[in-house]
Amino acid sequence: MCCKRNAKEECNTIYLTGDTHGDFQRLGNKYLPQCKKMTLDDYVIICGDFGGLWAGNAHDQYWLDWLNEKPFTTLFVDGNHENFDLLNAQPEKHWNGGQVHEVRENVLHLMRGQIFTFGGRTWFTMGGAASHDIQDGILDPADPDFERQYWLMRRMRAMFRVKGHSWWQEEMPNDQEYAEARSNLERINWKVDYILTHCAPSSIVKKLDPGYGTDELTDFLETVKQRCQFAYWFFGHYHKNQIVDERYILQWEQISRLEF
């Protein structure tokens, strides 16, 4: 992926990867030896399902501190597999044009519907996605019959999640987040360099795997696809490494360098 850059512009190193689910070993020296030459003005971007805030325990804290001590800055949009109670409790601040949650000084959550400028380029961010591993339902611990239902589903090897423990309704944007996204895109005349999301526009989802289905968020992203001018769109969620229609880059375990 290449785009021309004015020689006078600052040249940052930017890498992108997909769903980490709290496992950040791929960002260590073994798999990303280039990081030894990076600085905090260089970025590693995770396209959702960051997972670093999950149980709120010592394991989480160890890996967040580990990330924070890396020579680069870690950026991420949220996916559907996030503990939104913990994520939304992080301090919020303005950073490079948009709002972020400061998970650590050098680990930042790029909030939904924002426009950022970093690496000499503009970025639109819209995290979130609908979980597709809940075919058998979502259990509520407040339900008097929860214990019986939980163990029954476990024995059946059902695909389910538990509200407030492994699933949060905040996985999908709310009306205010959609409105803010539209307002910010209008403000810049629907023109950015790059788009960062977790799921893909509806038409791209159908090309990847019609079995995933579409929803309100993928339909909103389809509107962005139709109206917005951009060079590349990076997303995760579908657990593949794939380029679709040249401009839509599905990231999973692969770490890709953005070449300017």
Side-chain angles (χ1 to χ4, degrees):
M1 293 168 284
C2 299
C3 58
K4 292 184 179 179
R5 174 192 286 273
N6 189 304
K8 294 183 180 179
E9 291 185 18
E10 184 181 2
C11 186
N12 302 96
T13 300
I14 298 176
Y15 287 94
L16 299 104
T17 190
D19 312 33
T20 45
H21 293 281
D23 182 358
F24 305 110
Q25 295 182 66
R26 78 182 78 161
L27 305 185
N29 295 347
K30 180 178 179 180
Y31 300 104
L32 188 63
Q34 303 92 328
C35 74
K36 297 175 183 178
K37 298 180 180 180
M38 296 171 72
T39 73
L40 293 176
D41 291 324
D42 300 316
Y43 305 98
V44 172
I45 301 172
I46 300 168
C47 297
D49 280 0
F50 170 73
L53 291 160
W54 187 253
N57 57 15
H59 179 271
D60 284 2
Q61 301 309 312
Y62 171 84
W63 283 105
L64 290 174
D65 290 341
W66 182 87
L67 270 182
N68 194 53
E69 291 167 3
K70 289 297 172 185
F72 51 79
T73 296
T74 300
L75 307 174
F76 69 95
V77 294
D78 55 276
N80 51 303
H81 292 157
E82 315 284 2
N83 182 330
F84 287 97
D85 291 337
L86 294 178
L87 182 57
N88 291 333
Q90 302 304 300
E92 184 177 331
K93 71 176 186 180
H94 196 74
W95 179 83
N96 286 7
Q99 294 301 113
V100 301
H101 282 121
E102 187 178 50
V103 178
R104 289 290 188 276
E105 183 179 4
N106 305 315
V107 181
L108 305 176
H109 168 225
L110 306 177
M111 295 174 66
R112 296 173 179 174
Q114 304 299 301
I115 306 295
F116 296 97
T117 301
F118 60 87
R121 292 294 183 266
T122 54
W123 307 70
F124 170 67
T125 59
M126 194 67 182
S131 292
H132 51 258
D133 53 0
I134 54 173
Q135 291 91 326
D136 297 307
I138 299 164
L139 300 185
D140 187 344
D143 190 323
D145 199 33
F146 169 76
E147 196 77 15
R148 185 191 67 82
Q149 293 181 63
Y150 177 83
W151 290 110
L152 176 63
M153 287 196 171
R154 285 288 298 272
R155 287 195 296 272
M156 294 172 59
R157 297 184 179 180
M159 296 187 72
F160 73 101
R161 288 186 172 262
V162 178
K163 182 179 180 181
H165 291 270
S166 56
W167 179 87
W168 288 261
Q169 66 179 9
E170 292 88 349
E171 67 176 26
M172 290 287 279
N174 56 39
D175 291 344
Q176 181 179 344
E177 288 168 329
Y178 283 122
E180 184 169 5
R182 292 187 182 95
S183 175
N184 283 332
L185 286 168
E186 290 283 357
R187 175 170 55 82
I188 59 167
N189 297 317
W190 294 79
K191 183 176 181 180
V192 294
D193 293 305
Y194 303 115
I195 295 176
L196 294 171
T197 62
H198 185 53
C199 61
S202 293
S203 61
I204 301 299
V205 174
K206 292 173 183 177
K207 289 188 176 185
L208 287 168
D209 185 347
Y212 279 112
T214 59
D215 51 54
E216 181 183 14
L217 177 53
T218 65
D219 288 346
F220 169 77
L221 296 178
E222 183 66 24
T223 298
V224 175
K225 175 179 181 286
Q226 297 298 327
R227 294 191 61 183
C228 197
Q229 298 180 55
F230 62 94
Y232 292 104
W233 186 316
F234 301 95
F235 60 102
H237 191 48
Y238 306 99
H239 288 198
K240 295 179 182 178
N241 300 301
Q242 186 175 340
I243 299 175
V244 184
D245 293 350
E246 298 184 354
R247 295 198 299 164
Y248 302 87
I249 317 299
L250 169 53
Q251 298 282 169
W252 184 25
E253 297 172 321
Q254 178 175 292
I255 302 175
S256 304
R257 179 171 177 171
L258 185 59
E259 298 290 345
F260 295 105

